[in-house]
Amino acid sequence: MWRCGLVAFALCAGSFAATISVSTESQTFTKGVPFRVEVEITGREVTDIDVPTIDGASIGNRPAYSTSIQIVNGVRTSSATLGYNVTPERAGAIVIPPFKAIVDGETVTSQELRVTVMEPPKPEDSSARSTSGDRVLFTEIKTDKLE
């Protein structure tokens, strides 16, 4: 999975830093074909997330969501991963603006993510094909079992 990177740090008590990172499975996508943007937020308490508007793409409003809570030596940390489906509406470079979240009372911000969107492949033009080169295969299957 391609990682955009850790973004902002907000120091919390006990020298724990809240973080937010954004990633995609690739850097190149096809126009009209949805892809997933994963946002991982780590801290003690995640209270809000601001989902940006993406110029040239639509983003789903119902993310896949998972959480993890750890308590080590009495220190509680949690991690939330949100998976958003993004559908590119045009070819070219698309910038996914930073996501923002309130973690442990502080605002943390991700870096923007840049992806490239390609035009979908064009279907073969069947009217331009020569029919003389087409081959057809017929098969016949015989069994010795009668129904």
Side-chain angles (χ1 to χ4, degrees):
M1 181 177 283
W2 182 71
R3 281 269 175 208
C4 175
L6 290 179
V7 205
F9 298 92
L11 293 178
C12 301
S15 70
F16 182 80
T19 62
I20 183 172
S21 63
V22 180
S23 63
T24 61
E25 65 268 13
S26 176
Q27 292 179 319
T28 305
F29 301 97
T30 303
K31 176 182 167 186
V33 178
F35 65 91
R36 182 170 297 257
V37 172
E38 295 218 351
V39 180
E40 184 174 354
I41 305 167
T42 304
R44 289 192 187 98
E45 184 178 357
V46 179
T47 55
D48 191 25
I49 183 166
D50 181 25
V51 179
T53 301
I54 303 171
D55 183 33
S58 61
I59 187 166
N61 59 358
R62 300 183 78 191
Y65 183 79
S66 68
T67 59
S68 170
I69 298 173
Q70 291 183 335
I71 301 174
V72 178
N73 294 330
V75 178
R76 178 183 180 266
T77 57
S78 64
S79 173
T81 302
L82 297 97
Y84 290 92
N85 285 330
V86 175
T87 305
E89 298 168 343
R90 63 172 169 79
I94 290 186
V95 176
I96 299 170
F99 284 76
K100 294 180 183 178
I102 298 176
V103 183
D104 304 328
E106 300 288 330
T107 300
V108 291
T109 305
S110 75
Q111 292 179 340
E112 68 184 22
L113 188 61
R114 295 178 180 270
V115 297
T116 302
V117 177
M118 309 299 286
E119 285 288 342
K122 296 190 183 208
E124 214 178 286
D125 185 5
S126 61
S127 64
R129 279 193 328 193
S130 166
T131 57
S132 63
D134 291 345
R135 296 179 183 209
V136 179
L137 173 67
F138 291 97
T139 62
E140 184 177 327
I141 300 174
K142 292 184 179 183
T143 64
D144 56 349
K145 185 175 180 180
L146 299 175
E147 287 189 39

